[in-house]
């Protein structure tokens, strides 16, 4: 298993009545009423400190991503965060997982290729190159990409980046959306032929197909838990089987909210208010913003609705308004409790989803800095070591991880048993 800490860098101090007073956490929340630049600067530094602490606590990778005009997670420049983390973790066997720079909103897309090349060089070949399509809120509403062009722009940007990394001679690119007379990338990544590519998705059939066709890792990013996630991942593995591909668990990744405390009762006491904040405020997204018409293509719409994914999400969203802490655990939106409880729940989730790359959200919503460090510390010491061997007996190789980091991670002072 490779287990990474995912961090959104959210606003940690929205008002108690935010979801009643404001239309949406994304696209139109008023900065001047809700935020303070000096406080936000502290959030960024806490985020970098928390991720760096996770590297020291034994996590295999550090994940950042890109979003715009929101208080849910505002890293508009994920490669700025990635560069700080790459430098801070030099000498540590931890991957820099950029989940990542959004391709269709970067013009020209070779900017992503250049910045990822820089990150791979700074980190000494530890980059995982996330290539997200981008949410409808970010790409269509905030950055003005026409929804009907969104996926085609993404596919062309991907192909341009992959060629730019590998071409040995300068070339011209005359695409539908991008025209570049002289592509001659400086710098190039250390990893050859290119860094491993991860494609985030939310269950779209088109994203499954794209990931499989290009032999990229498909990463299901969802906050609706591994019970609902099983329905999506079962569909993904059925698709992989139909394509005649090996069912290597490292071909897939999953995001899970996780909280660890000294006991199950202490976990509820420590974390429930922050879980509640996350689902009530951080995910308070206006429904008309969620998917502009044309954002999802027909076959993905058909697959999503025919399999009932959207109906299940709508049902859970309605029900959770009345949930207590244990409901979040029982429905597996959050895995939490004592270290032993968390190990049991995570092992079950990993096996039922068949994923070899797990991303854990260890900072949630309004969680303060010191509590986040506690969560990371307990996870790294008491949970992580018991999950590393899950797929070892099956003999799979993780082709979707930096080659120099594919062995078991050893921390200072550890010995191989």
């Amino acid at each position: 298993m490779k287990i990474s800490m995912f961090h959104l860098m959210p606003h940690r101090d929205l008002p108690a009545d935010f979801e009643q007073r404001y239309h949406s956490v994304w696209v139109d929340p008023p900065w001047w009423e809700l935020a303070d630049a000096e406080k936000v600067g502290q959030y960024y530094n806490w985020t970098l400190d928390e991720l760096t602490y996770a590297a020291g606590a034994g996590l295999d990778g550090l994940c950042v991503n890109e979003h715009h005009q929101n208080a849910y997670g505002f890293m508009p420049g994920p490669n700025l965060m990635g560069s700080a983390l790459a430098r801070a973790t030099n000498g540590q066997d931890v991957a820099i997982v950029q989940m990542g720079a959004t391709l269709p909103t970067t013009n020209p897309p070779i900017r992503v290729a250049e910045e990822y090349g820089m990150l791979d060089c700074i980190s000494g070949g530890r980059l995982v190159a996330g290539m997200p399509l981008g949410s409808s809120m970010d790409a269509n509403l905030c950055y003005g990409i026409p929804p009907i062009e969104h996926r085609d722009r993404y596919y062309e940007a991907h192909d341009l980046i992959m060629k730019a990394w590998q071409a040995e001679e300068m070339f011209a690119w005359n695409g539908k959306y991008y025209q570049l007379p002289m592509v001659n990338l400086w710098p190039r990544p250390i990893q050859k032929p290119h860094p491993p590519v991860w494609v985030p998705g939310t269950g779209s059939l088109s994203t499954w197909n794209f990931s499989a066709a290009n032999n990229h890792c498909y990463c299901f990013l969802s906050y609706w838990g591994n019970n609902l996630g099983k329905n999506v991942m079962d569909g993904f593995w059925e698709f992989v089987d139909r394509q005649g591909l090996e069912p290597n668990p490292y071909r897939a990744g999953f995001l899970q909210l996780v909280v660890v405390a000294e006991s199950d009762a202490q976990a509820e006491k420590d974390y429930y208010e922050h879980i509640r904040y996350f689902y009530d405020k951080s995910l308070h997204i206006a429904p008309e913003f969620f998917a502009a018409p044309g954002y999802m293509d027909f076959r993905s719409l058909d697959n999503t609705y025919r399999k009932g994914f959207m109906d299940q999400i709508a049902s859970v969203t309605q029900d959770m308004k009345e949930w207590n802490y244990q409901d979040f655990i029982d429905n597996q939106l959050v895995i939490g409790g004592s270290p032993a409880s968390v190990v049991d729940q995570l092992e079950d989730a990993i096996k039922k989803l068949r994923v070899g790359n797990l991303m854990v959200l260890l900072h949630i919503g309004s969680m303060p800095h010191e509590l986040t460090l506690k969560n990371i510390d307990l996870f790294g010491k008491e949970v992580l070591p018991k999950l590393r061997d899950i797929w070892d007996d099956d003999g799979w190789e993780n082709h979707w991880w930096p080659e120099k980091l594919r062995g078991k991670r050893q921390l200072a002072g550890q010995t191989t048993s």
Side-chain angles (χ1 to χ4, degrees):
M1 283 297 299
K2 293 298 182 184
I3 302 178
S4 303
M5 179 173 169
F6 195 102
H7 208 310
L8 292 169
M9 217 305 285
H11 193 298
R12 305 188 190 200
D13 192 28
L14 292 171
D17 60 352
F18 172 79
E19 61 272 33
Q20 284 79 44
R21 290 175 54 201
Y22 294 95
H23 177 239
S24 179
V25 76
W26 216 317
V27 181
D28 64 1
W31 166 271
W32 301 111
E33 294 180 26
L34 295 168
D36 172 82
E38 290 189 5
K39 181 182 288 187
V40 166
Q42 183 65 76
Y43 294 160
Y44 281 117
N45 286 305
W46 279 341
T47 295
L48 291 168
D49 288 346
E50 288 155 10
L51 286 165
T52 304
Y53 190 82
L59 276 292
D60 297 297
L62 310 176
C63 302
V64 296
N65 63 355
E66 176 181 344
H67 293 301
H68 303 277
Q69 293 182 200
N70 76 91
Y72 143 88
F74 47 111
M75 292 185 198
N79 293 343
L80 295 175
M81 304 295 282
S83 64
L85 294 168
R87 181 67 182 89
T89 58
N90 266 342
Q92 298 185 59
D93 291 338
V94 61
I96 305 301
V97 185
Q98 298 297 107
M99 286 295 288
T102 305
L103 305 194
T105 61
T106 307
N107 192 11
I110 54 167
R111 178 76 182 206
V112 175
E114 291 168 334
E115 292 185 0
Y116 277 2
M118 289 178 66
L119 289 174
D120 205 45
C121 290
I122 293 169
S123 68
R126 294 183 286 123
L127 175 73
V128 172
M131 293 193 179
L133 173 71
S135 75
S136 184
M137 292 82 74
D138 291 322
N140 307 146
L141 301 181
C142 299
Y143 269 37
I145 302 297
I148 202 68
E149 296 179 359
H150 194 158
R151 286 182 186 271
D152 283 345
R153 284 179 177 269
Y154 174 75
Y155 298 145
E156 183 179 330
H158 165 272
D159 292 348
L160 171 55
I161 290 169
M162 298 302 284
K163 182 172 181 178
W165 275 339
Q166 299 173 74
E168 296 187 1
E169 297 181 355
M170 186 164 61
F171 64 91
W173 183 270
N174 189 27
K176 181 177 180 180
Y177 298 105
Y178 312 107
Q179 295 81 40
L180 301 172
M182 296 179 175
V183 180
N184 178 32
L185 204 68
W186 281 63
R188 305 293 176 99
I190 291 174
Q191 297 180 79
K192 305 300 181 190
H194 56 77
V197 175
W198 287 14
V199 178
T202 56
S204 166
L205 182 61
S206 296
T207 307
W208 295 352
N209 187 72
F210 176 78
S211 301
N214 290 282
N215 199 32
H216 297 331
C217 177
Y218 171 73
C219 298
F220 182 48
L221 303 187
S222 170
Y223 303 117
W224 309 111
N226 59 75
N227 286 341
L228 191 150
K230 184 179 187 305
N231 296 335
V232 174
M233 293 310 298
D234 283 352
F236 172 74
W237 289 118
E238 290 169 7
F239 174 82
V240 166
D241 183 63
R242 291 196 302 271
Q243 300 301 306
L245 302 171
E246 66 174 14
N248 187 333
Y250 296 109
R251 185 183 293 281
F254 185 74
L255 174 63
Q256 177 69 57
L257 281 70
V258 178
V259 294
V260 195
E262 295 81 358
S263 66
D264 291 350
Q266 188 64 41
E268 178 174 359
K269 181 178 179 181
D270 284 349
Y271 299 113
Y272 177 56
E273 66 177 290
H274 309 299
I275 294 167
R276 191 79 261 176
Y277 177 104
F278 179 75
Y279 282 98
D280 290 345
K281 295 175 173 55
S282 300
L283 297 184
H284 174 59
I285 303 169
E288 67 271 22
F289 290 166
F290 198 75
Y295 171 73
M296 187 176 286
D297 59 14
F298 176 77
R299 61 178 179 168
S300 296
L301 275 171
D302 178 61
N303 184 64
T304 299
Y305 280 94
R306 185 159 35 84
K307 295 198 173 186
F309 298 155
M310 299 307 294
D311 289 341
Q312 293 170 45
I313 290 174
S315 177
V316 169
T317 302
Q318 182 62 37
D319 291 346
M320 76 168 62
K321 295 176 182 178
E322 308 299 326
W323 281 2
N324 58 29
Y325 170 80
Q326 194 59 44
D327 291 322
F328 282 98
I329 304 300
D330 291 344
N331 287 279
Q332 287 290 278
L333 275 71
V334 179
I335 284 177
S338 69
S341 294
V342 171
V343 168
D344 288 345
Q345 293 173 67
L346 272 176
E347 185 172 3
D348 179 66
I350 289 164
K351 289 179 178 178
K352 76 183 180 187
L353 299 171
R354 193 178 174 77
V355 293
N357 297 299
L358 180 69
M359 293 157 281
V360 287
L361 200 68
L362 298 177
H363 174 272
I364 299 170
S366 55
M367 196 182 291
H369 180 59
E370 292 302 323
L371 183 58
T372 305
L373 298 183
K374 172 185 174 178
N375 197 25
I376 294 168
D377 201 46
L378 284 171
F379 184 88
K381 290 178 179 177
E382 305 293 338
V383 177
L384 182 59
K386 297 178 175 63
L387 300 173
R388 291 200 183 278
D389 299 340
I390 287 177
W391 299 113
D392 283 10
D393 291 342
D394 296 339
W396 299 110
E397 182 178 352
N398 192 346
H399 305 290
W400 299 273
W401 196 254
E403 186 172 2
K404 66 184 295 182
L405 304 179
R406 289 179 190 173
K408 290 185 181 178
R409 187 174 177 202
Q410 296 297 317
L411 300 177
Q414 286 185 341
T415 57
T416 304
S417 57

